[in-house]
Every structure is written in C-alpha cells, then in structure tokens.
Amino acid sequence: MAHYLYGTGQNLHTEGAERWDDKKEGGWKERMDDWKMQQGNLGPEADDAYDDMSMLDEARQPLSRKVPIASSKVNPYRMVIGARLLILAFFLRYRILNPVHDAIGLWLTSVICEIWFAFSWILDQFPKWFPIDRETYLDRLSLRYEREGEPNMLAPVDIFVSTVDPMKEPPLVTANTVLSILAMDYPVDKISCYISDDGASMLTFESLSETAEFARKWVPFCKKFAIEPRAPEMYFTLKVDYLKDKVQPTFVKERRAMKREYEEFKVRINALVAKAQKVPPEGWIMQDGTPWPGNNTKDHPGMIQVFLGQSGGHDTEGNELPRLVYVSREKRPGFLHHKKAGAMNALVRVSGVLTNAPFMLNLDCDHYINNSKAAREAMCFLMDPQIGRKVCYVQFPQRFDGIDRHDRYANRNTVFFDINMKGLDGIQGPVYVGTGCVFRRQALYGYEPPKGPKRPKMVSCGCCPCFGRRKKDKKYPKNVGNENGPSLEGGSDSVFSLVFSPTYCFFNPLTLNFIYTCGAAVEDDKELLMSQMNFEKKFGQSAIFVTSTLMDQGGVPPSSSPAALLKEAIHVISCGYEDKTEWGSELGWIYGSITEDILTGFKMHCRGWRSIYCMPKLPAFKGSAPINLSDRLNQVLRWALGSVEIFFSRHCPAWYGLKGAKLRWLERFAYVNTTIYPFTSLPLLAYCTLPAICLLTDKFIMPPISTFASLFFIALFLSIFATGILELRWSGVSIEEWWRNEQFWVIGGISAHLFAVVQGLLKVLAGIDTNFTVTSKATDDEEFGELYTFKWTTLLIPPTTVLIINLVGVVAGISDAINNGYQSWGPLFGKLFFSFWVIVHLYPFLKGLMGRQNRTPTIVVIWSVLLASIFSLLWVRIDPFVLKTKGPDTTKCGINC
C-alpha cells in the first residue's frame, strides 16, 4: 500500500501489519479512499461493493450520541455554584449569630425563610450539575432496520390519545392530533392509534368517524409531498411560502383541493358540535336507530370501535392506513375509576390484547405531531443495542402554539424543559411530564431492567494463591435447581429468567399454567415457580392479556381471531377488572395523585430504569396552553396539589426506594424537589410581606452591617446573578424567558402553591377532596383574545393583597422619611429595594388584572383593599414583633414623669 509523501514527490512504502493499523490517524474508510485514488477507477462492480461495505459499516454505528456541554461553559458554572454555596453558608451563619433584639419576631421569620430558600435552592441546583445534549442518526436507523428487499424491522408503536369532555377539548383539536398520527413517517402496519373517550360522548365518536374518512384523503397527500406539520389546521395556517422546494407541478392544484376538502371537513365537525349543544330528552340515538350506550356518562358499558386498520382501512390510492381504535371503558356507580390514570391503564390492556406493540406513545388530545419523524427519533434510543435495553421511556420537551410573544405567564416553561431536564438527562434521565413520551411496554408492566452480563471472576488452578480464586467443584449437577431456585446454564439468578426464556417453558393461556420443556427441571421448581409468579393477581383475569405480557418483542398470537380479541378487549376494560390486582400500585400509570405522570416515572426510576431526553431541532410535538391568568393559575394549582399528595403518600421520594438504592442520589434530589416546592409558598408569602411590614413599623430585620459583612452580601447577590447568566449561556434560554419564569415563580408561589398546600393538608387531615375540571383547550377567535379575559377565582386574592400592602408600605415609608429628615433616607433604601423587588415580580399579575381596558374588577379591589387595610391597621396597633419597653407609671407621677 502506497502513501503519497507531500512535498517530496516520492512514494513511501510500508510493510506488514502497519498498513492496516486502525489506531493511526484517519480511519479505515479514509485509507480505503486514498487507496482507490492511487489505484484508479476499478470499475462499477468494485464501487458497488465498496458502497455496500460502507453502508454496512455505517449501519453498525450507534444510533445516537451523547453530547456533553462544552467544558468552557459548564466548568465556570460549577465553580460559581460551589462559590455560591460557600458564600451562602457564611451568610446564614452571620444572620443566625446576629439577631435583631428590638424586632426578634421579624428577624426570626426572615431567618427561617432564608434557610428554607437555601435548602430548596440546593435541591433544585445540584441535579443540574451534569447537563448534556443528545443527537440521533436517523439514516443509521434506516440502514439497520429498513434494508431494501428485506422486511421492515422497525418496532411497532401503539399511540394513545386521551380526551374527556368534547366541549372543553374541541373535537376539531382532537381530530388534528389523530390526523397527524395517521400521517406520521413510520410504516403503516407498525402504527396503531387508540383514542380514549372517558366521557363516553357520542360527539367524540361521530367526529372520529368523520376524521377516519377524511384521513383517506389527507394521509396520501402528506406522504406524497412530505409536508410538515401534518396536522391540517396548523399546516394551512402557516404563513410561509408553501411553494418553496416543491417542484411537482401538481402540488399547487392538489393543495388547493385539499384545503377545500379540509374546510368541508371542518363544517361537518362544527355541525356535529352545534347539534351536541342540546341533549334530546330521550338521549342520543345512533344512525342505526339504537340508543347511544353512553347516554349516562357515569353508568355505561365498555365500547370499542375499530375505524381503520387491516380490514378495509385504505386511502384513496389503495394504500393501507394505520389502525384507528375508539375506546370508552366501562363505568358503573360504586367503582373507583382513577380519572386519567385509569383511562391510560385501560388503553394499555386493550392495546396489549389487540396489537401488543413493544412501545407506546402517549399524547394529550391537543398535542399534535409537529415532526413526522418523532417516532423514529425515539427508536434511535429504544432500539439501540447498546443503551436501549435499559431505557424505560424517551421524553420529548413540550412546545406550544398560540402563546403571546412576551409569554406573560411563562406558559412555555422553557427554564424547566431546556435547563432542568437537560441536567436530569445527565444523571438517570428526565421525569415523565404526562405527554409526548414513548414508553417501553415491559417497563410499564413493572419489570426491572435486564441485567448486563457479569464480569467473569479470575479463576486459577490453585497452585498460586496470589492470582485469582481457586476453582471450586460444583455441589450439584447441571440444570438442577439449588436451594435458591432453578439454575439456568450453570447459574440461577432468579425464577424470572426461567419464566421468560422460550427455551425452557411456554405459557398455556387456557389454564394459566406453564408447561416445561426442559426435562431436567424437577417438580419442586414448578411449585416454586407457580408460587412466585401469580399472574392472575398481578395482571388480572385475562388469559390472552397475560400471554401478551410475556411477549417481550410484542405481537399477538397468529391463531387468534379478531372477534375473540375484541371480546377479550371489552373484558379488560370492565370496571372490576383491576380489583385485587397490581394495576395502579405497581403496574401501568400509578394511582394516588392527580399528577400521575410524576409517580409513574418515579416508580420506573426506582426499579433501576433510566430515561432519555430527546430534543430534535424540529419540535416533535406541539400543543396548546392556557394563556389566561385564571386558567394558568388553576393549572399550576392542580400540578402543585398533585405534588403535595405525593409528599404525604407512601411514595414520598424522600424515603421511598431507599432499600433497593437503584435511584441515584441527584435524581432523588430532583424528585424530592418536585414534591416539596409547593411548601415554599409559606416562606415566600412571609418574605414578600416583610418589606412592607418594615416600612409600616419602621423596624429592621437585620442589624447594622459592617464593611466586612457587606462584602458577603454583595458576593451573594453577584453569585445569584452569575449562576443565572451561566445557565443561560450553556442552555440557550433567553434572558426574557428566564425573567418571566422568575416572575411567575413568585406569582404562582403566593397563590396557587399556597392553596395547594392548604387543600393537601385538608385532604390528609380531614379527608376533604377537591374536584378539578379539565383545562379548556378551546381558543378565542381573536388572536390572544383569551389573554385579556378575566375569570374570577379566589387564587387572585393573595397576590393582589401582597401587591397593595407593598404599595401602601412604600408610600408610608417615603412619607415617614420626608417628615423625619435627611438622616432617615439611608435606612429607607434597603426596605424600598425589597418592596420594589416584590412589586416588579408581580407586574405581570397586575397587567392580567387590568385586562385590555386597564380596569381592575370591582370584586378584586374590594376584597384586597379590605384585607390589606385590616392587616395594616392591626399590625400597627398590635406591633407583635417589637419588645415593649417598661417606663414610669404616668398615673402615679403625673405630667412630671
């Protein structure tokens, strides 16, 4: 092999193995390119062979790559965190050792608040110590699993969409989500879409039937012209040049025709919605004249309808369409249905009977697929031979449409999705956020991740005691169980290994028994196996479904008839199916909190699974968010109450799963933070009122500060700002998004989080439960019109009261300084600084109250002024935190005292 030596015009020849030394600079492919250039063109056959070898080599490469944050960005960030922790320790030591004796109550309150803030900051900050990015290689995925001339080997995916109330979750929104799923870039025979109608609404059923008919035209149009996004409402409203990169002369004609078809489809859906506004006295009647089974939404049988699929589900061009299944689980009085978590578990069982895909994607009804290759992005992790086996789910960030440009109420939540989640991805993986997540079915079934092969221990012959362990003779013959259970090929890790190995046993769905094919297994092993594997208690009384749980790669038995599978699917969504099983406690979506997503992901991480955070350049999914102030606060209240419920449950991350020690400590910190953050509302509310109290009473919460102590105060503020700036630097979050997040943290903290703590305590101590309504997904006809709509809620009272108290305190403090002269202005600045800090953080809230007309509703003004006035007058009159000084009794000595 010859290498050209540049600059000398000579040929340098090398001999031996050095010619193929892979460790030299430049890989094997580069050297092959050089060799071909030296040898000249060897003909098309050689080129084809070389291309095939290159493609084979590319297919063997990893499907994804972990991209660490540049050390120049993350190392200064870690250094500032360490410095801030040290400065904070000195600051708290100074505050504790220097009390303010003439206002001991104010001082004690402020110190307790500062200690809690420091504790919560540690829980929030350190899980962001190892932030990472990831990138995927979709071309390698296709080369490995979609080879030309061979069957497509991509894994099937079952997709779940949940809806409850079609009046708050418009059918047109749900239809767009379903259409984007049916048109996604994935093999059609590998996709099954399940719609859970937990409200048993005939409107949802009929609109889904219309959607299935329109999909026959929409899906081929999307795939023919490769349009993005594939939700028609979003696609036709894009203000872009749709002719860009479109060279087909028929595109303009077909696009106009398709837009016309979609407008007619919208008219049909809106007609159904208008008809559903008034319920007939006799109830709804279906087209065949029979009463709708779900007329009583709280007492109806289970319903399943397959709209599209293998039986006649073809588009206008004759191509097969993905399966589309309508599911409404049975509901009867006297049964607990567990809201969304119960509906999702019903979908898990129905899909396990009908299609049993090894992976499941769950979406809210208002989250459409914005990137048609989203499922392929997830498969780059879940089907990767190196890392995929231990991945329980792949979480995508939430992105939203229809939010005002300035994002007044931090609806995008960019700080959480672009900073916190990246940090968790570097530990054990992101938390599950309820939508936009692709699960491994076996992980939802409560199984632990597979263990990697153990490193073999060094065994010696026994002649030298210094090296290895002496080889011991086996005490029992091969393939015979020992005292720990049955042995498999010389080892006996667990009975589960024997159960799930097709080499050793198979399952009889008719008798719920295992039949063994390994002749060496003894009868005692059978009894031990049956005692440890009580499938009926774990999964429920369905032989077909239990059989599906043993199929690691998914699929249904080929001998099963569609009629038998549908009958069994109706059975697994019956009300009493979950009784005396582990559904909701160890399997599927976990019950016990209205934020079932946090609990479900937490249980998987406690079993040793890890999750992946995938952020493709084109957002995978997009949804809608409540941009109205009252709706936004109610949404935050629901999340916070769920966290409080988890904190008081047996699943509290502070102690749950400590015995197994499979949850990493920084990951545990993050989960603890997700459950205790609502309790920060109590010190936050106190800290927001302290500046106003100091201004009204002319008291201080700090003693006079020396020059040395002032340096620590300055250093603390600088470290806080530096931490935020460096976070923005490595995450790419804008400073406006960061500031909006800080503002709404204060707004939500003194309103929604405070109510969540109170309601959580009432539920735990008094058993008083709170019912929540579904957040409305309906949009206003006017752009951002919902932003200015006022909706009364008691959540508005605490922030308004705090705002008025601080404004009154500022006025009172400035008036007092004017009356007392120049010497009182110096101490006043510190108090004013913190009062203005509170007012600036509450400014978006104030704008929300004013609305478009800049007029605050009367009821808010009345309640807030009343509470603020009473509080201020009582405080000044009682002055509880100030020591009372004793002096001479004026009744005895008179005016000469």
Side-chain angles (χ1 to χ4, degrees), residues 633-648:
L633 289 177
N634 278 295
Q635 182 188 57
V636 174
L637 171 61
R638 185 169 65 251
W639 295 343
L641 181 57
S643 296
V644 174
E645 289 174 342
I646 296 174
F647 179 80
F648 287 115

Side-chain angles (χ1 to χ4, degrees), residues 50-200:
Y50 174 70
D51 291 339
D52 292 341
M53 294 177 64
S54 300
M55 292 175 62
L56 183 62
D57 182 63
E58 182 73 12
R60 292 173 179 171
Q61 298 298 317
L63 303 180
S64 63
R65 184 172 73 95
K66 184 188 299 184
V67 184
I69 305 296
S71 57
S72 60
K73 296 180 179 180
V74 75
N75 285 342
Y77 174 68
R78 293 170 180 166
M79 292 172 60
V80 170
I81 292 175
R84 180 176 172 181
L85 186 64
L86 185 64
I87 295 169
L88 191 59
F90 279 103
F91 171 77
L92 294 177
R93 178 180 180 275
Y94 172 81
R95 293 284 284 124
I96 294 172
L97 297 179
N98 294 271
V100 181
H101 296 287
D102 61 341
I104 195 70
L106 293 174
W107 168 82
L108 183 61
T109 302
S110 63
V111 169
I112 292 175
C113 293
E114 288 159 2
I115 292 174
W116 180 265
F117 292 151
F119 173 68
S120 63
W121 171 75
I122 290 173
L123 292 179
D124 178 70
Q125 189 67 65
F126 279 90
K128 296 182 282 189
W129 191 263
F130 302 102
I132 62 170
D133 286 320
R134 294 183 186 272
E135 62 181 27
T136 56
Y137 303 103
L138 299 180
D139 52 344
R140 295 178 183 176
L141 181 75
S142 297
L143 287 174
R144 179 173 295 184
Y145 296 108
E146 296 181 293
R147 296 176 182 175
E148 188 176 355
E150 298 182 10
N152 193 301
M153 299 301 293
L154 285 176
V157 181
D158 289 337
I159 305 174
F160 302 157
V161 179
S162 58
T163 181
V164 180
D165 187 354
M167 295 303 168
K168 293 187 177 180
E169 299 169 327
L172 188 61
V173 174
T174 305
N176 272 270
T177 300
V178 172
L179 290 169
S180 69
I181 293 171
L182 299 178
M184 63 189 299
D185 184 6
Y186 209 75
V188 294
D189 59 327
K190 309 267 185 189
I191 306 174
S192 299
C193 179
Y194 293 83
I195 311 299
S196 170
D197 178 17
D198 221 29

Side-chain angles (χ1 to χ4, degrees), residues 613-658:
Y613 194 51
C614 182
M615 293 182 64
K617 294 181 179 179
L618 179 64
F621 312 101
K622 281 189 176 183
S624 60
I627 62 174
N628 177 266
L629 176 60
S630 300
D631 290 342
R632 174 69 166 139
L633 289 177
N634 278 295
Q635 182 188 57
V636 174
L637 171 61
R638 185 169 65 251
W639 295 343
L641 181 57
S643 296
V644 174
E645 289 174 342
I646 296 174
F647 179 80
F648 287 115
S649 70
R650 71 182 185 93
H651 292 114
C652 180
W655 51 76
Y656 184 84
L658 287 174

Side-chain angles (χ1 to χ4, degrees), residues 473-486:
D473 297 332
K474 292 187 178 293
K475 301 285 185 179
Y476 48 87
K478 187 177 180 181
N479 290 335
V480 177
N482 57 14
E483 61 182 2
N484 294 325

Side-chain angles (χ1 to χ4, degrees), residues 829-850:
F829 284 133
K831 303 175 186 178
L832 290 178
F833 173 80
F834 286 104
S835 280
F836 280 119
W837 180 88
V838 175
I839 294 171
V840 169
H841 277 77
L842 294 177
Y843 178 70
F845 176 82
L846 181 61
K847 288 187 66 176
L849 288 183
M850 295 298 182

